[in-house]
Amino acid sequence: GAVVSQHPSWVICKSGTSVKIECRSLDFQATTMFWYRQFPKQSLMLMATSNEGSKATYEQGVEKDKFLINHASLTLSTLTVTSAHPEDSSFYICSAISVQTQYFGPGTRLLVL
Amino acid sequence: QKEVEQNSGPLSVPEGAIASLNCTYSDRGSQSFFWYRQYSGKSPELIMFIYSNGDKEDGRFTAQLNKASQYVSLLIRDSQPSDSATYLCAVKGFGNEKLTFGTGTRLTIIP
């Protein structure tokens, strides 16, 4: 199957700082990528759909000014958590479509102190 | 509102037995159906996908689709302790439309 990578795999930051997470499709081009968040023992929650060369589409309740998404190339999408707070601590997972099948990256665990 | 329903479990199955995971979906226009496995603390990994009615086998895994009943299932034969995980059912319409996920079934294989 297709390979999706994420960087970093985990990050610890102070409250009020911004954190950028990268998502790359390694062996295919992805015009569409998705960003999910998952809290412990809870379901995946789709945050936004990232489309190459255009603005991301955010799910209801997700603040677009807090979670900045940039999909500048066919292999890279970034999620920036701006002015992070402890309640933003979560497992962030990106996903990309290859041949109409969705593949997930390994996830980024964010801890905001 | 598209919905995908799964029994949250936990489902406990003895090692070596068949584990049966079920999923129903509300949108009759759904075209593609996926099963993902998610170990605790890890991201989901794709196990199988199925597009047509009937059975699709891959090793110890068999996906079954019945579009008339809006039902998809995953059978795991010769269950192993390493199969213990949460299994997510997901459905999709056409093209690059986003997946709609069920909440997952937690499966425990008892040695």
Side-chain angles (χ1 to χ4, degrees):
Chain A
V3 179
V4 178
S5 71
Q6 276 184 250
H7 179 80
S9 56
W10 59 270
V11 58
I12 302 173
C13 70
K14 291 183 179 179
S15 185
T17 60
S18 294
V19 175
K20 179 185 282 189
I21 303 170
E22 293 185 348
C23 177
R24 294 182 185 273
S25 55
L26 295 186
D27 51 359
F28 65 101
Q29 293 183 328
T31 55
T32 303
M33 291 185 175
F34 303 93
W35 287 96
Y36 292 83
R37 181 167 56 178
Q38 189 174 37
F39 293 105
K41 299 191 184 301
Q42 294 190 21
S43 303
L44 285 173
M45 188 196 81
L46 178 65
M47 299 176 68
T49 302
S50 167
N51 297 296
E52 188 267 337
S54 63
K55 290 183 178 180
T57 303
Y58 290 82
E59 296 298 303
Q60 192 172 4
V62 178
E63 299 175 59
K64 62 179 181 179
D65 294 329
K66 180 168 183 64
F67 299 100
L68 302 179
I69 292 172
N70 185 292
H71 193 157
S73 78
L74 287 171
T75 59
L76 173 65
S77 175
T78 60
L79 168 69
T80 301
V81 183
T82 62
S83 186
H85 288 94
E87 58 265 30
D88 298 321
S89 298
S90 189
F91 190 38
Y92 292 85
I93 311 171
C94 75
S95 175
I97 293 179
S98 174
V99 195
Q100 298 193 26
T101 300
Q102 201 166 319
Y103 296 90
F104 286 87
T108 296
R109 201 162 296 281
L110 170 64
L111 176 61
V112 185
L113 300 176
Chain B
Q1 179 80 2
K2 299 178 183 177
E3 292 184 354
V4 177
E5 301 281 344
Q6 291 182 258
N7 188 321
S8 62
L11 175 65
S12 296
V13 173
E15 183 176 357
I18 296 175
S20 178
L21 303 161
N22 305 315
C23 172
T24 59
Y25 58 95
S26 63
D27 184 4
R28 282 196 172 275
S30 299
Q31 298 291 314
S32 312
F33 307 85
F34 304 84
W35 284 100
Y36 290 85
R37 176 176 62 198
Q38 186 175 23
Y39 291 113
S40 180
K42 302 293 185 181
S43 68
E45 58 177 316
L46 180 67
I47 298 175
M48 291 189 70
F49 57 85
I50 185 167
Y51 302 141
S52 305
N53 275 328
D55 295 359
K56 180 182 178 183
E57 188 174 316
D58 183 1
R60 295 187 296 111
F61 299 95
T62 299
Q64 299 175 317
L65 174 62
N66 183 325
K67 288 187 177 181
S69 300
Q70 295 175 240
Y71 176 94
V72 58
S73 66
L74 179 70
L75 301 178
I76 307 174
R77 289 182 300 282
D78 188 24
S79 297
Q80 303 296 311
S82 59
D83 295 326
S84 298
T86 296
Y87 288 80
L88 301 168
C89 171
V91 305
K92 189 168 74 74
F94 291 98
N96 286 350
E97 188 179 301
K98 64 185 179 184
L99 290 174
T100 299
F101 282 91
T103 53
T105 297
R106 188 155 57 92
L107 173 66
T108 301
I109 305 301
I110 304 168

